Amino acid sequence: MEFAVWTKGLAALAVDCLVVSVFEETELGAEARAVDAASGGRLQRLLARGDFTGRAGDTLLITEITELPARRVLLVGLGARAQLTRRGWRRALGSAVTALSRTRIASIALALERPAARELDDYYFGRAVAELAGSTLYRINDLKTGKKPPAPALKKVLAGPVRKPDAAARGFRHGAAIAAAAAVQRDLANLPANVCTPTFLAEEARALAKRHKSLTARVLDEAAIRREKMGCLLAVSQGSQQPPRFIVLEYRGGKSAAAPVVLVGKGVTFDTGGISLKDPPAMDEMKFDMSGAAAVIACLTLAEELRLPLHVVGLIAAVENMPDGKAVKPGDIATSASGQTVEILNTDAEGRLILCDALHYARRFRPAAVVDIATLTGACVVALGHHHSGVMGNDEALIGQLLEAGVRAEDRAWQLPLTEEYFDQLKSNFADFANVGGRDGGAITAATFLGKFTQGMPWAHLDVAGTAYQGGAGKGSTGRPTPLLADFLIHRAER
Ligand code: BES
Ligand code: MN
Ligand code: ZN
């Protein structure tokens, strides 16, 4: 898709459709007024008749406007003017793209009244337009055998008005890259677990590195993982017929000596719970338990696509968590790569077991920052619902950067406390600690566990159990937290 800024009068533009906004006060936006004047007052008459009320998210396509080269206008409701927020504006933009996707309209000029500049400057305006156009047109990579609907027709988006066309253009480029990266995550996470195995993820990483010179991939097979003494990771994978993979996907954009940002992804391609078997309802959703890994791959494609002047290392622990005669049992003790021993009281708390070995592996890179991304705990969903990802860590500056990136990217996170007292819950009589700390504060005790492996490295943990995918009728990967991480990396590249 092509994005550009429109400059001359909107009404004169020779595109397939003009997209303008209407407030609930049935008041046309500034650009819509010019279009109305050029079309002989047609829009005002329509509003006066009550055919369109400007309710947030409503759209109405008007055709055959012979006075305009575009001939079509899409009205988009923005709700009450005083209540317009960036979020509401983004939602309205999404509705507009959805409405357009049901037509064969290929080119548009967009002029949705924006919330205050403080909320949405020209860069973020451009970014939102490109990101939302991309993410709204995303189609699930399903395996349905029926005839596929035709690909969306929309190819060209002119957006405005803007004061700083350069900033908007940069926003377009970044927004398109973010949508493309989120689609990488979504495609991988939406795949069924019989296709998306640890081996499959490793092959994807290899294929990516083959396509792009600035990316390199290294894959550790089971023997190599054993040589790294990743006993906790192996304890999880020993119950599966699928061999584990440990993937190192590296992007070198900045000075080669620069300390890297290390992104660590939980790649449980299916989580049955193991011997601590999960309940059947919604167990299929545990195919999304590799969303963190998919987000890491997505972020590396983004760094490459935008040629960010950064050194980014992606580490992915990819395993399947299954019950089996050989599976790890409650009470078994595993030795992590760090040497610390873990009593595995619940085999369903497997995410932290693979992450602890991956986080230890991160040490060798002497990282400037380590961020792990994991669908780690149901407790985080209980605490925060599906709106915020949970953030914890040992470095307040890093946590602050992630929180701010989430706000800017409209992919928010919320910090939970991570203080020493939670550690008591992980005490074990038989090993250095247990892998579970009971139900209370479950998201925090999980992070506390990880914290035992990240001492001395600036580290933050994103629990995306509630945000990385949706259940129900709209079941599927959301692509989160790729927008947050993308913003974090883009900002870091500018420092
Ligand atoms: N993958 C799950 C966490 C999860 C739960 C993600 C719900 C998305 C939705 C994780 O491996 C898990 O099973 N965690 C357990 C931990 C418990 C045994 C301490 C959980 O949250 O129940
Ligand atoms: Mn589990
Ligand atoms: Zn899991």
Side-chain angles (χ1 to χ4, degrees), residues 90-302:
R90 286 173 65 100
R91 256 203 302 273
L93 179 54
S95 321
V97 176
T98 301
L100 291 163
S101 72
R102 301 198 175 110
T103 72
R104 302 311 298 154
I105 290 169
S107 63
I108 61 169
L110 188 89
L112 298 186
E113 202 91 337
R114 272 148 71 174
R118 186 177 48 80
E119 286 218 24
L120 196 71
D121 64 15
D122 284 340
Y123 165 72
Y124 277 98
F125 166 76
R127 206 168 103 173
V129 167
E131 184 193 344
L132 284 159
S135 63
T136 308
L137 296 179
Y138 174 81
R139 295 258 176 90
I140 271 192
N141 49 336
D142 63 55
L143 298 174
K144 296 183 186 185
T145 55
K147 196 157 160 268
K148 298 256 186 236
L154 192 61
K155 289 278 140 36
K156 186 171 172 190
V157 176
L158 304 179
V162 300
R163 289 234 180 86
K164 300 183 187 136
D166 291 352
R170 198 167 150 268
F172 291 145
R173 198 164 82 85
H174 288 185
I178 292 169
V184 166
Q185 178 185 341
R186 293 168 83 174
D187 278 348
L188 285 171
N190 285 331
L191 286 172
N194 61 326
V195 173
C196 185
T197 59
T199 312
F200 178 92
L201 283 177
E203 289 311 319
E204 285 290 298
R206 273 214 186 95
L208 265 176
K210 209 166 221 167
R211 279 205 297 282
H212 304 290
K213 264 212 349 243
S214 54
L215 291 178
T216 54
R218 233 185 108 210
V219 175
L220 309 196
D221 63 8
E222 189 162 353
I225 292 171
R226 188 153 283 122
R227 284 196 293 278
E228 291 293 336
K229 300 193 163 58
M230 296 185 173
C232 286
L233 187 157
L234 288 168
V236 177
S237 88
Q238 75 190 39
S240 172
Q241 299 286 324
Q242 293 292 338
R245 291 290 181 264
F246 190 84
I247 306 165
V248 185
L249 188 59
E250 191 162 2
Y251 166 79
R252 276 175 190 282
K255 296 179 203 79
S256 54
V261 174
V262 179
L263 302 176
V264 180
K266 171 178 175 182
V268 176
T269 58
F270 197 79
D271 181 11
T272 64
I275 296 298
S276 315
L277 194 62
K278 286 184 181 294
D279 279 344
M283 208 209 271
D284 65 290
E285 292 175 9
M286 285 301 117
K287 74 172 186 176
F288 297 116
D289 213 19
M290 37 57 75
S291 295
V296 170
I297 294 178
C299 286
L300 278 127
T301 65
L302 175 118

Side-chain angles (χ1 to χ4, degrees), residues 174 177-178 181 298-308 486 489-490:
H174 288 185
I178 292 169
C299 286
L300 278 127
T301 65
L302 175 118
E304 190 282 332
E305 166 74 20
L306 295 180
R307 312 237 178 282
L308 297 179
L489 292 174
I490 289 168

